[in-house]
Amino acid sequence: MCETDTRPRELWSNRELVQLVWPLAIERLLVASLGIIDTVMVAYLGEEAVSGISLVDIINIILIDVFTSLATGGTVVCSQYLGRRDGENASRSAEQLIYTVTAISFAVSIFGVAFHGPILRLLYGQIAPGVMESAQTYFWISAISYPFVGIYNVGNALFRSTGNSRVGMATSFLSNILKVGGNLFFMSRLNMGVAGAAVSMVICRAASAAMVMILLYRSHDGPLRIGRLFPIRLRWDIIRGILKVGVPTGLEGGMFQMGKLFLVRLVTTFGTAAIAGNAFINIIMTLGNIPGISIALCMLTVVAQCVGAGDNGAARRYARKLVLASYGAMTVANVVIALLLRPAFSLLSISGEAMTYAFWGSLVFCIAAIFLWTLAYCLPYALRAVGDGKYTMCVSACCMWMLRVGSAYFVAHVFGLGMPSIWIGMVLEWTARAIVYLTRWKSGKWEANRVLAD
């Protein structure tokens, strides 16, 4: 019989919550800064090379989000076992999650390497020959790194499930150093161009995957004890449980990123200034989301362990506490960002029209992020933690495609509003998500979900 501790402070103290969140925030900041630095470093390759890389990066973001979501969803099983103080089954689940995500990422990698050309032509049609050549080179080389991405995300998520988020912060710091150094060596020293940027990425991801797996193997004193992964020992009963939670989360992430791809295609019809302005809006959105997504990842671990311990009351209390923390953090961050928008954008060498788009789009985001983002994007992590992934997947898909994408295309084509149609669609989607997820959580219907057998 599993002992149930109904006193939430004995499950997670405020100090432990803070120790889980702050490394996550730094990790997200490191990832965001690497993307910005990498963009600046590859800019000297020329317009065709940069365009080709950016087109492939859209595909990579979609696939990486699927791997990340699958790994994050799969760790719900491990977290709930840890909440039960069942380290043996938690460790076995971790091993099966490694097998599952690695196999899926290998299959996607092989497919990407073999069919990189047809995939690019299917998605982007007839683009300039120079852009297509750069995109194909970058795609097939970067596709080699997909298994490393899968392994890294699994390892990082497993450490988070034990309350250790410092590993992700450390590996992100390592990735930044290797990527910048790799770009300088392969692109500048060896003059490999686009291929050099891709090779640098593969090395960076391989090193991160190796580091996190070595740390997993060495964590003998922790709650997760990874044994010998070879020979492979598949436990289909555990794998089915992992896929039950992980697949909906992975599909949700993939469908969401595909929706964003369709929105990018709509933005391209508004002209060059809109494309440039939207690029800077995306940077602001990435920075503005850091506090909220860090707390959301913390919530996944905390709520899953509470449910695993059989304490739904503690799950409710911690979810409420973390939602309030997210509101506070998102308010502070986005108020500061909003105040700095004009002086920051005044330093950029972009047209007045592009700057106008960037400023007003970023301001709309900051205001909406303060009031809507937490319920729309943080609270769903609590629902996923209790095994309600199918519900969040359906809501996310409907809101993204019917409201954000659908309304943006409708407003753009019927009323001819251009870029404001993108912002209108975003606010409508966030509002709908916030209402539906809050209603679901307060209804208590999620309590009927069972991830682990009783």
Side-chain angles (χ1 to χ4, degrees), residues 63-82:
L63 294 174
I64 291 172
D65 196 66
V66 170
F67 299 148
T68 304
S69 300
L70 182 62
T72 301
T75 53
V76 169
V77 177
C78 300
S79 296
Q80 291 200 12
Y81 274 125
L82 291 174

Side-chain angles (χ1 to χ4, degrees), residues 46-385:
E47 185 174 330
E48 289 186 337
V50 172
S51 298
I53 291 174
S54 66
L55 292 178
V56 175
D57 276 342
I58 294 173
I59 302 172
N60 284 338
I61 289 171
I62 294 173
L63 294 174
I64 291 172
D65 196 66
V66 170
F67 299 148
T68 304
S69 300
L70 182 62
T72 301
T75 53
V76 169
V77 177
C78 300
S79 296
Q80 291 200 12
Y81 274 125
L82 291 174
R84 284 188 175 185
R85 303 294 189 266
D86 188 349
E88 180 65 24
N89 275 318
S91 299
R92 299 296 77 76
S93 297
E95 292 171 1
Q96 299 306 308
L97 180 61
I98 293 172
Y99 291 144
T100 302
V101 176
T102 302
I104 293 173
S105 58
F106 258 113
V108 175
S109 175
I110 293 171
F111 187 82
V113 172
F115 300 103
H116 60 278
I119 292 172
L120 288 170
R121 286 189 290 271
L122 175 65
L123 290 176
Y124 299 115
Q126 297 299 320
I127 56 179
V131 174
M132 177 60 78
E133 182 181 356
S134 296
Q136 288 187 349
T137 300
Y138 193 73
F139 192 6
W140 81 261
I141 298 177
S142 63
I144 297 173
S145 71
Y146 293 161
F148 304 131
V149 175
I151 293 169
Y152 166 75
N153 279 301
V154 170
N156 198 11
L158 288 174
F159 273 113
R160 284 201 306 269
S161 72
T162 67
N164 183 351
S165 55
R166 295 183 299 277
V167 169
M169 178 183 67
T171 49
S172 293
F173 183 72
L174 172 67
S175 295
N176 282 26
I177 295 175
L178 289 177
K179 189 67 173 75
V180 172
N183 281 355
L184 290 173
F185 181 75
F186 291 108
M187 293 166 54
S188 301
R189 186 72 178 269
L190 300 184
N191 294 317
M192 292 177 62
V194 171
V199 170
S200 173
M201 177 192 297
V202 173
I203 294 174
C204 165
R205 291 173 174 173
S208 297
M211 178 178 177
V212 77
M213 288 305 298
I214 291 171
L215 292 174
L216 270 179
Y217 268 113
R218 290 184 174 180
S219 59
H220 300 301
D221 298 330
L224 287 180
R225 297 175 177 85
I226 305 299
R228 295 175 60 184
L229 295 175
F230 298 98
I232 296 175
R233 300 175 300 275
L234 298 180
R235 289 279 305 276
W236 292 108
D237 55 330
I238 297 177
I239 291 176
R240 280 193 293 269
I242 291 172
L243 294 177
K244 180 181 177 181
V245 180
V247 168
T249 307
L251 290 175
E252 178 182 345
M255 288 188 290
F256 183 81
Q257 292 297 336
M258 284 295 294
K260 292 178 69 173
L261 173 60
F262 272 76
L263 289 173
V264 169
R265 295 185 67 173
L266 178 61
V267 169
T268 61
T269 66
F270 301 148
T272 304
I275 297 172
N278 191 63
F280 290 106
I281 294 171
N282 287 334
I283 293 174
I284 296 299
M285 291 177 71
T286 299
L287 295 175
N289 285 339
I290 287 175
I293 195 64
S294 302
I295 294 173
L297 290 170
C298 170
M299 181 184 291
L300 186 84
T301 295
V302 172
V303 172
Q305 288 197 13
C306 291
V307 172
D311 195 345
N312 287 341
R316 286 181 176 276
R317 288 190 292 272
Y318 280 113
R320 186 184 305 114
K321 176 185 288 189
L322 291 169
V323 162
L324 292 176
S326 177
Y327 262 111
M330 290 293 287
T331 298
V332 172
N334 285 282
V335 166
V336 172
I337 290 174
L339 293 175
L340 294 176
L341 286 177
R342 283 199 182 279
F345 287 150
S346 66
L347 301 176
L348 302 175
S349 299
I350 57 176
S351 68
E353 185 181 3
M355 188 177 299
T356 299
Y357 286 138
F359 173 78
W360 286 107
S362 300
L363 186 61
V364 170
F365 162 79
C366 289
I367 295 172
I370 292 171
F371 294 101
L372 298 173
W373 192 93
T374 293
L375 292 180
Y377 287 94
C378 184
L379 183 58
Y381 276 80
L383 292 169
R384 296 181 191 112

Side-chain angles (χ1 to χ4, degrees), residues 427-446:
V427 173
L428 286 175
E429 184 224 353
W430 288 14
T431 302
R433 286 172 63 109
I435 293 172
V436 174
Y437 288 140
L438 181 60
T439 302
R440 178 72 169 186
W441 182 257
K442 292 178 72 68
S443 72
K445 292 181 179 179
W446 51 269

